[in-house]
Amino acid sequence: MANKLRLVDTPDTHAVADSSMTALRALERKVLWLSSWMIHNANHIRESRDGLKVGGHQASSASVATMMTALYFDVLGPQDRVAVKPHASPVFHAIQYLLGNQTREKIEGLRAFGGAQSYPSRTKDTDDVDISTGSVGLGAAHTVFSSLVQDYVRLKNLSPEGLREGRMIALVGDAELDEGNMYEALLEGWKKDIHNVWWVIDYNRQSLDSVISDRLFGRIDQLFENMGWRVVTMKYGKLLEQAFAEPGGDALRNWIDTCPNSLYSALTFKGGDSWREYLKRDLKGVAGIKTLLDSHDDDALHKLMTNLAGNDLESCLEAFKGVTDDAPTCFIGYTVKGFGLPFAGHKDNHAGLMNPEQMDDFRAEMNIPKGEEWERFSGIDMDLEELERFLANVPFAQEYPRRYETPRINVPSLNIQRRPKMSTQDGFGRILNELAQGDSELADRIVTTSPDVTVSTNLGPWVNRRGIFSRSETSDTFAQESVVSAQKWQMAPEGQHIELGIAETNLFLQLSALGLSSSMFGARLLPIGTVYDPFIRRGLDAMHYGCYQDSRYMLVATPSGITLAPEGGAHQSSETPLITLAQPGMAAFEPAYVDELAEIMRWGFEYMQADNGGAVALRLSTRILEQPDREMTETLRAEVTAGAYWLREPEPGSELVIACTGAIMPEAISAYDDIVEDIPGAGLLAITSADRIHVDWIAARRARMSGHGGSVAHIEKLLAPLAEDAALVTVGDAHSGTLGWMGSVAGHRIYPLGVDAFGQSGDLQDLYRHYGIDSDAILDAAARACIRRLEG
Ligand SMILES: Cc1ncc(C[n+]2csc(CCOP(=O)(O)OP(=O)(O)O)c2C)c(N)n1
Ligand SMILES: [Mg+2]
């Protein structure tokens, strides 16, 4: 999907020529038709083998078809990046189909295996989706952080020459405004003085279950204005505006303005005679109203009364083209959910589908002969050559796909001075500090970010040297006033740290946006985000979405586990290793020692750039451990990054292995030293990544199942020398399930120890004992394992 950069004219702002208007109107109808038909085909025509409802959102798509027509066929340039409202996926695919960028096979396969995706997917769809959406609220918020990334790379001149500044645009369902993460993003965006962001709200006043509260009206614009955004309200279409200019127009406008959302929706569904009935009654005697009603038959009256700006092409174009600067702008586009379809306005229409009879009527209305449903231009009443010419000149489509390939950044080995005692968190800070002092390309491409835990996750020294990113220069007042502080926080465009407020969802959205910079903005960045391990939970959905989009970043989760002893239960984490183990698109590590960490980070920076790579997660600790005095041999290096190595090698036929991950290693070593006196062949396995050995094991099994008999996983090789009925005592400052699966690798007996309950406050001795992961507990489990073996 790579693309060479080239210059493209920005769409200009002059009014749309008549001939273009004809084409746009034809395309608007086609977009509505194709998106509806795609869903209909998936539900009513394509053979169903499982009897499940396929689904799809005809009403949500119809609602936004006009605004998307205006944007994609006229307003957008190829440099713009769009997060399309999840339920308008069919509209996006229809547009790309009309532009020749989407195949018929894919749209016929909407929601089928390998077909166009239900919700726009940057990785699975093949028609150049910019930002994956689906979990409402995330796509819109992502645009805020993408705009920051665009600034970051532009201000540092990292993007290739000629790359034009784009707008980061979200097409937002109005119910998405109920998601709290939208406000976290708005606030952070305000703090960062973002620009080049548009949110286009499909204000159909309906969500999934119901019609939106009337009181919301008037709040939205204030909200955005408070955050420094311009608000463009797109309320009435051209027909209504003309009617308002006629006698009685003021009364008509007032009637609509004060009409409750639910009544307006109900009348929209019921149609012309119902509008007439209400207007006759409510505006009785108002001069001009009788003339208005008499001059409109039911269809015309219905058309007039539902003529909202978001469904009126001319009004949409006028609004979008009216904004020519880069101020963050919110367009509130009033629309009718299901506009142009039989269930328009019905409160239950979210998942509503036209039945075959309704579809037949709709087909007739669209002038599409039976059998020509998929034809690009069928039913279009204009010169088709002219339409082709129009499509060939659509600014947005002048580049396709709009993704870039960038050269890889060389990753040197990461060395720090060995200290006899260190924590992995300390090691992380020192590795970055070492990088910050050097002048490697790697260091220049690293960008760090943290939600208000920069100092407490040891990013301080890095930030002191590399500075904080800001669009404009700001001096450090404390430094100027000679206040002594370890933190020197200069803010400038050269800065390489993005400081965020405490909102972990923002952290993950920022990481996601940074990690897409290579393909989105042609500038490779190597983002590192730090967070306290327990608060991963807080940003989980955004973390998932970043990985789903194949964003490449390094998550450093520290401190972690009950090793955060005095902090107590709410600050401790046990299930996070299971989360990262289960997360596709992310390789998770939990090293015990700093030399392991250095290797893992080096490997990680490469993995973040590899074709089949992904994001990387590191679970670190503040617990200070005695560091092994050893040489990092090639074999050790390979094993550390593969996820496990023998810290104490077992003898062939060994009956017992203690397998340990992370900061609890001293307890495992102590237990091992005790048990080895009785069981001399025992082994001690250091697990640096439960995730990597698990992934590799599953892959090897799959490969064998599909005939690649020689595939053997790293963990299988490591466990091969053990006795058939050997016991594995696994232990970590993590849920026991993290390593509990290891018994299945070679059918060994498993004794999984871990933290399976909420945390407590205490000291390490108390807590490790309480949760049964201290050396006595490990020893006890090992002893039981051996006794059971003797007992048969
Ligand atoms: C985080 C999340 N929660 C719930 C849903 C289920 N859901 C899908 S659409 C929807 C309502 C959408 O309403 P709106 O954003 O107004 O879209 P539109 O009216 O245009 O369909 C909900 C709750 C979801 N997709 N994501
Ligand atoms: Mg809605």
Side-chain angles (χ1 to χ4, degrees):
M1 292 278 263
N3 188 31
K4 282 223 154 45
L5 298 171
R6 63 193 162 109
L7 286 177
V8 180
D9 285 340
T10 319
D12 54 23
T13 53
H14 57 67
V16 183
D18 281 352
S19 57
S20 299
M21 218 46 222
T22 310
L24 285 166
R25 285 195 200 291
L27 291 166
E28 179 193 16
R29 280 167 67 87
K30 282 306 289 191
V31 167
L32 177 63
W33 162 255
L34 280 169
S35 55
S36 306
W37 175 249
M38 221 182 280
I39 298 167
H40 184 78
N41 177 70
N43 285 278
H44 291 285
I45 296 179
R46 204 167 63 214
E47 191 200 344
S48 166
R49 293 184 302 178
D50 54 11
L52 284 182
K53 177 188 163 186
V54 179
H57 303 87
Q58 288 175 332
S60 304
S61 294
S63 180
V64 77
T66 307
M67 292 200 284
M68 285 179 68
T69 300
L71 286 169
Y72 278 97
F73 290 109
D74 190 302
V75 178
L76 299 186
Q79 68 276 20
D80 296 322
R81 298 286 179 270
V82 190
V84 174
K85 164 185 102 150
H87 306 85
S89 177
V91 177
F92 175 78
H93 296 308
I95 289 170
Q96 289 291 39
Y97 180 64
L98 290 166
L99 287 169
N101 297 333
Q102 173 62 295
T103 65
R104 174 169 164 180
E105 190 192 354
K106 290 278 179 195
I107 55 175
E108 278 197 68
L110 175 76
R111 292 182 165 235
F113 188 71
Q117 297 296 295
S118 332
Y119 308 108
S121 168
R122 185 174 167 84
T123 46
K124 292 203 230 115
D125 277 316
T126 50
D127 52 352
D128 205 15
V129 168
D130 290 325
I131 296 172
S132 300
T133 59
S135 183
V136 301
L138 291 184
H142 203 285
T143 58
V144 168
F145 297 98
S146 293
S147 92
L148 258 174
V149 176
Q150 179 174 241
D151 286 340
Y152 186 93
V153 297
R154 286 180 68 79
L155 289 168
K156 291 188 173 62
N157 290 320
L158 296 176
S159 277
E161 221 173 292
L163 190 80
R164 302 192 56 151
E165 199 165 358
R167 291 164 292 200
M168 305 298 118
I169 298 176
L171 288 153
V172 188
D174 46 3
E176 296 194 59
L177 293 166
D178 287 333
E179 286 287 358
N181 86 277
M182 301 282 268
Y183 303 97
E184 295 177 357
L186 281 174
L187 196 58
E188 197 62 54
W190 176 79
K191 288 192 235 166
K192 301 280 185 296
D193 189 24
I194 50 147
H195 61 152
N196 288 319
V197 181
W198 280 12
W199 282 8
V200 179
I201 299 177
D202 179 2
Y203 192 47
N204 58 26
R205 303 165 309 287
Q206 281 184 249
S207 59
L208 194 159
D209 283 338
S210 60
V211 175
I212 281 167
S213 159
D214 293 306
R215 294 170 66 234
L216 193 62
F217 168 77
R219 289 287 128 194
I220 301 178
D221 44 358
Q222 280 176 36
L223 261 164
F224 281 88
E225 277 160 6
N226 275 339
M227 296 291 174
W229 288 52
R230 173 201 288 117
V231 175
V232 177
T233 304
M234 302 156 58
K235 191 160 187 188
Y236 296 118
K238 294 290 165 195
L239 289 178
L240 271 175
E241 275 180 0
Q242 272 165 25
F244 296 156
E246 300 289 324
D250 286 343
L252 180 67
R253 179 201 288 269
N254 186 47
W255 187 88
I256 302 179
D257 278 347
T258 53
C259 181
N261 284 342
S262 38
L263 177 61
Y264 185 88
S265 296
L267 295 179
T268 299
F269 177 70
K270 288 170 79 177
D273 52 346
S274 303
W275 291 114
R276 192 177 300 281
E277 192 185 315
Y278 266 85
L279 292 177
K280 251 186 185 166
R281 194 185 61 206
D282 294 352
L283 300 183
K284 196 171 173 193
V286 175
I289 293 298
K290 184 170 181 330
T291 318
L292 178 128
L293 291 177
D294 288 349
S295 60
H296 288 78
D297 64 15
D298 280 353
D299 283 350
L301 187 61
H302 181 64
K303 195 170 170 199
L304 175 70
M305 294 302 287
T306 55
N307 177 235
L308 301 181
N311 297 131
D312 185 307
L313 195 54
E314 229 178 305
S315 306
C316 291
L317 288 164
E318 202 173 275
F320 296 143
K321 283 166 162 279
V323 172
T324 54
D325 61 16
D326 64 0
T329 301
C330 169
F331 297 89
I332 304 179
Y334 278 70
T335 56
V336 168
K337 190 156 174 171
F339 186 73
L341 307 183
F343 40 60
H346 196 292
K347 71 180 176 63
D348 306 333
N349 67 10
H350 183 77
L353 296 172
M354 279 185 266
N355 62 32
E357 295 72 46
Q358 288 171 320
M359 191 38 102
D360 276 343
D361 292 347
F362 185 52
R363 183 198 343 249
E365 198 187 312
M366 292 280 149
N367 289 331
I368 293 177
K370 261 201 156 126
E372 288 187 20
E373 291 87 351
W374 297 107
E375 297 306 317
R376 272 168 84 217
F377 296 158
S378 173
I380 288 183
D381 181 22
M382 74 173 278
D383 183 316
L384 295 184
E385 277 178 22
E386 210 171 290
L387 182 59
E388 283 285 17
R389 261 198 306 281
F390 176 87
L391 284 171
N393 287 313
V394 165
F396 171 76
Q398 298 307 304
E399 278 181 31
Y400 182 83
R402 296 134 51 252
R403 294 190 186 187
Y404 309 109
E405 258 178 18
T406 63
R408 303 237 170 115
I409 307 298
N410 180 45
V411 182
S413 56
L414 308 174
N415 295 317
I416 50 163
Q417 242 189 344
R418 198 195 300 262
R419 292 172 165 244
K421 288 182 167 191
M422 287 175 96
S423 70
T424 45
Q425 176 173 314
D426 183 21
F428 165 70
R430 286 174 193 277
I431 289 168
L432 274 192
N433 189 28
E434 192 80 16
L435 276 167
Q437 290 181 53
D439 60 357
S440 61
E441 196 188 7
L442 172 68
D444 290 346
R445 295 302 178 118
I446 288 176
V447 48
T448 56
T449 183
S450 183
D452 206 23
V453 289
T454 299
V455 176
S456 46
T457 54
N458 279 35
L459 276 179
W462 161 268
V463 176
N464 281 349
R465 289 185 194 278
R466 293 281 170 156
I468 295 187
F469 172 71
S470 159
R471 280 175 62 204
S472 53
E473 200 120 358
T474 316
S475 56
D476 181 346
T477 311
F478 283 85
Q480 265 178 351
E481 295 296 325
S482 307
V483 176
V484 178
S485 163
Q487 318 305 331
K488 297 183 237 24
W489 282 20
Q490 299 291 344
M491 298 171 81
E494 298 79 41
Q496 284 182 250
H497 173 77
I498 298 178
E499 178 68 11
L500 300 169
I502 324 172
E504 285 71 17
T505 298
N506 282 348
L507 168 76
F508 284 106
L509 291 172
Q510 183 66 84
L511 284 172
S512 170
L514 287 163
L516 290 174
S517 169
S518 168
S519 69
M520 215 181 250
F521 303 118
R524 193 178 282 281
L525 297 176
L526 294 161
I528 301 177
T530 65
V531 65
Y532 293 174
D533 192 54
F535 301 121
I536 282 182
R537 301 176 194 120
R538 194 72 185 253
L540 214 46
D541 202 15
M543 179 181 107
H544 178 77
Y545 259 72
C547 292
Y548 183 57
Q549 308 202 66
D550 198 23
S551 173
R552 306 299 179 83
Y553 58 85
M554 186 178 282
L555 171 68
V556 178
T558 184
S560 59
I562 58 167
T563 303
L564 261 165
E567 292 282 329
H571 262 57
Q572 296 169 355
S573 58
S574 59
E575 78 289 17
T576 43
L578 287 172
I579 293 172
T580 51
L581 183 141
Q583 178 63 57
M586 175 179 264
F589 292 84
E590 184 166 2
Y593 299 118
V594 174
D595 60 351
E596 297 168 359
L597 173 68
E599 279 315 313
I600 290 165
M601 285 180 71
R602 183 198 52 74
W603 179 92
F605 288 130
E606 272 167 4
Y607 189 68
M608 286 156 69
Q609 304 186 67
D611 288 342
N612 289 322
V616 176
L618 310 180
R619 190 174 192 245
L620 306 185
S621 173
T622 42
R623 187 179 187 200
I624 295 169
L625 302 193
E626 206 165 312
Q627 300 293 308
D629 185 8
R630 62 184 171 188
E631 192 192 336
M632 185 52 72
T633 61
E634 274 312 310
T635 313
L636 183 55
R637 180 175 311 208
E639 293 202 319
V640 161
T641 52
Y645 67 92
W646 289 115
L647 198 58
R648 309 279 187 269
E649 188 122 16
E651 281 175 12
S654 169
E655 308 144 27
L656 178 72
V657 163
I658 297 172
C660 175
T661 189
I664 204 92
M665 198 60 83
E667 279 62 30
I669 293 175
S670 157
Y672 173 84
D673 287 346
D674 280 351
I675 201 98
V676 82
E677 289 171 14
D678 297 325
I679 308 180
L684 175 57
L685 190 65
I687 296 181
T688 49
S689 171
D691 180 29
R692 291 272 295 156
I693 53 174
H694 181 262
V695 165
D696 179 46
W697 173 55
I698 297 291
R701 288 182 67 132
R702 289 229 167 100
R704 290 199 292 267
M705 267 150 55
S706 48
H708 301 282
S711 303
V712 184
H714 179 54
I715 191 64
E716 288 172 323
K717 284 184 204 150
L718 288 171
L719 300 183
L722 307 186
E724 239 177 61
D725 62 345
L728 307 180
V729 176
T730 59
V731 62
D733 180 356
H735 193 276
S736 59
T738 310
L739 300 175
W741 55 271
M742 281 177 59
S744 298
V745 172
H748 293 132
R749 289 176 295 129
I750 188 95
Y751 291 78
L753 308 180
V755 180
D756 299 348
F758 290 118
Q760 304 264 0
S761 53
D763 62 13
L764 286 185
Q765 285 74 6
D766 278 343
L767 296 193
Y768 288 171
R769 182 164 19 86
H770 179 77
Y771 291 96
I773 55 172
D774 62 351
S775 54
D776 284 350
I778 301 170
L779 204 55
D780 188 48
R784 279 170 197 278
C786 294
I787 291 165
R788 234 200 73 186
R789 185 168 185 268
L790 293 176
E791 286 170 349

